[in-house]
Amino acid sequence: MPSRRRFETRAIHDGQEPDPTTGAVITPIYQTSTYVQQAPGEHRGYDYSRTANPTRTALERALASLEEAEYGLAFASGMAAITTAALLLSPGDHVVAPDDVYGGTYRLFVRVLQRYGIDTTFVDMTEVAAVERARRERTRLIFIETPTNPYLKILDIARLSELAHAHGALVAVDNTFATPYVQQPLRFGADLVIHSTTKYLGGHSDVVGGAVATSRADLYESLKFHQNAVGGVPGPFDCWLVLRGLRTLAVRMDRHAENAARVARALVEHPRVTRVFYPGLTDHPGRDLAARQMRNSGGMVSFVVNGGGAAARRVASRTRLFLLAESLGGVESLIDHPASMTHASLVGSPLAVDEGLLRLSVGIEHADDLIEDLRQALET
Ligand SMILES: *Cc1c(COP(=O)(O)O)cnc(C)c1O
């Protein structure tokens, strides 16, 4: 049953009761691969750590609670989570996904799942009619990611879920950019929520992990079977790091969003910046939808500098606080030049991103320092 306690409280307590054998307040790292049995086949719920491990159980229960889901499953990476979710499909099935879906997800659907007879159509999902047009007889999955990357478009989870369910398709939402503190896709009709816990949930750029949550027992049973059969599971220490991250998620996300809003406004006013993409700005086309679907506008900001690719690369090399690195969601600010880094594989394709685009993962340093850093990088 979803807990009645509030998010901030659930993040600290759910799945994380003091250890029953020692009273340890913090869930121990159960660094063990196997468990003793009282008699053959008779054990206390744990027989082998690919199947289940107590540190992972704590994380899975905490993740489920935060998404207000019945069930949670932890994986070795976000891609292991998405791959395992995709194993709910069969050859001949069809998927619709956003045209600016995370690059690794695009690669999985196009270069891996295609070989197993699963076809994917990529469309601009801000237009629900485009999803309707892309739909086929065997469309079994509508894969949503919102906000999208790197343009931070907002997709309507409720409307897309209605459309999918009218035709018997499942809805999976990659909730990595928003986190469950900001957006809970199951409330809007999604069947599955997926995370790269590497990002905001871990929150400290020190662990790679993934998760899936659902309230449907049939989907959970199948996912759990595939989690064990395929084996893309996280180790106990990685689970422990994500659990530690979850406890401060709410305060971190508040500060990420506050800082991102301030950085976005400063960029709008900068003469060298031609466009700013942030769902909290009044001119963002998804602003009203974001206000309905999200608690705040998140910590990611993208912008275009005048002068094209060369100018953008120069800015990205000159920030001092914003570290030039892939990934996002850590306490430290990062800057990314999508055309040569995270989205390089799309250059020359119809999905290529603007060469002048820069993407920021706005951290929780002081906003004034972050704004000064961007100003000096834009002015030199
Ligand atoms: C990083 C990311 C992934 C992949 O997660 P990994 O943990 O790197 O495997 C999937 N979706 C989104 C939106 C991401 O940002």
Side-chain angles (χ1 to χ4, degrees):
M1 281 300 287
S3 164
R4 293 225 190 92
R5 288 182 288 187
R6 286 137 189 100
F7 186 94
E8 292 83 342
T9 311
R10 300 202 306 275
I12 290 168
H13 294 284
D14 284 13
Q16 305 170 74
E17 295 77 19
D19 183 54
T21 51
T22 63
V25 164
I26 297 304
T27 304
I29 302 166
Y30 285 91
Q31 194 70 41
T32 186
S33 60
T34 190
Y35 308 81
V36 70
Q37 307 204 358
Q38 283 71 50
E42 216 178 280
H43 57 76
R44 295 166 232 196
Y46 295 96
D47 58 354
Y48 186 62
S49 276
R50 170 163 33 73
T51 315
N53 172 283
T55 315
R56 194 172 99 214
T57 303
L59 173 61
E60 292 179 331
R61 289 177 51 210
L63 288 164
S65 166
L66 295 189
E67 286 291 0
E68 294 185 37
E70 295 287 335
Y71 312 101
L73 292 160
F75 292 91
S77 67
M79 291 319 303
I82 295 171
T83 302
T84 307
L87 295 176
L88 295 169
L89 302 170
S90 301
D93 285 352
H94 174 248
V95 180
V96 183
D99 58 4
D100 54 354
V101 75
Y102 174 72
T105 306
Y106 178 82
R107 181 174 56 200
L108 173 73
F109 280 115
V110 171
R111 294 186 53 192
V112 181
L113 296 174
Q114 174 100 54
R115 289 194 279 116
Y116 294 88
I118 295 164
D119 259 354
T120 305
T121 307
F122 298 92
V123 298
D124 179 355
M125 283 199 179
T126 53
E127 208 198 319
V128 177
V131 178
E132 176 67 65
R133 282 195 301 277
R135 197 178 58 77
R136 300 183 194 163
E137 194 60 38
R138 290 280 304 264
T139 302
R140 287 286 147 77
L141 176 66
I142 305 286
F143 189 95
I144 300 174
E145 194 181 308
T146 181
T148 67
N149 176 24
Y151 287 110
L152 304 168
K153 292 192 276 193
I154 305 296
L155 306 183
D156 193 331
I157 301 171
R159 281 190 65 201
L160 291 166
S161 297
E162 258 171 53
L163 171 67
H165 293 155
H167 301 284
L170 290 174
V171 175
V173 177
D174 183 334
N175 203 27
T176 300
F177 270 41
T179 81
Y181 178 65
V182 171
Q183 166 177 286
Q184 292 170 320
L186 299 185
R187 285 192 182 186
F188 298 98
D191 303 290
L192 301 172
V193 191
I194 301 176
H195 284 282
S196 166
T197 58
T198 312
K199 314 297 167 53
Y200 288 107
L201 299 189
H204 297 75
S205 305
D206 53 11
V207 63
V208 170
V212 181
T214 183
S215 287
R216 274 185 52 178
D218 58 331
L219 299 181
Y220 171 70
E221 288 307 326
S222 180
L223 290 165
K224 173 99 189 118
F225 167 79
H226 285 97
Q227 179 194 42
N228 184 52
V230 176
V233 295
F237 182 54
D238 287 356
C239 292
W240 186 89
L241 283 172
V242 176
L243 268 175
R244 184 164 70 162
L246 291 185
R247 294 192 195 106
T248 54
L249 181 65
V251 286
R252 284 188 288 109
M253 290 316 292
D254 280 339
R255 183 60 65 85
H256 279 297
E258 243 173 72
N259 282 0
R262 285 202 52 201
V263 164
R265 282 196 299 274
L267 288 170
V268 165
E269 281 159 22
H270 200 283
R272 287 205 52 210
V273 173
T274 55
R275 283 202 69 180
V276 181
F277 303 91
Y278 184 63
L281 292 174
T282 44
D283 68 345
H284 190 287
R287 189 188 153 92
D288 293 342
L289 178 56
R292 283 203 301 281
Q293 203 169 267
M294 300 168 75
R295 186 200 294 256
N296 64 37
S297 302
M300 300 298 293
V301 177
S302 294
F303 65 104
V304 178
V305 287
N306 65 11
R313 273 190 291 273
R314 211 158 42 239
V315 172
S317 314
R318 288 182 181 178
T319 52
R320 294 174 195 141
L321 286 175
F322 281 89
L323 304 175
L324 180 60
E326 302 202 358
S327 199
L328 59 114
V331 291
E332 66 291 316
S333 292
L334 301 181
I335 188 165
D336 164 44
H337 181 237
S340 48
M341 294 164 65
T342 49
H343 292 66
S345 61
L346 301 179
V347 170
S349 85
L351 305 181
V353 297
D354 191 325
E355 288 272 331
L357 186 78
L358 290 165
R359 187 191 76 182
L360 304 176
S361 172
V362 181
I364 62 171
E365 301 94 336
H366 198 291
D368 291 344
D369 290 328
L370 296 178
I371 291 165
E372 272 170 32
D373 187 38
L374 289 169
R375 286 205 179 114
Q376 67 77 27
L378 281 160
E379 274 147 30
T380 44

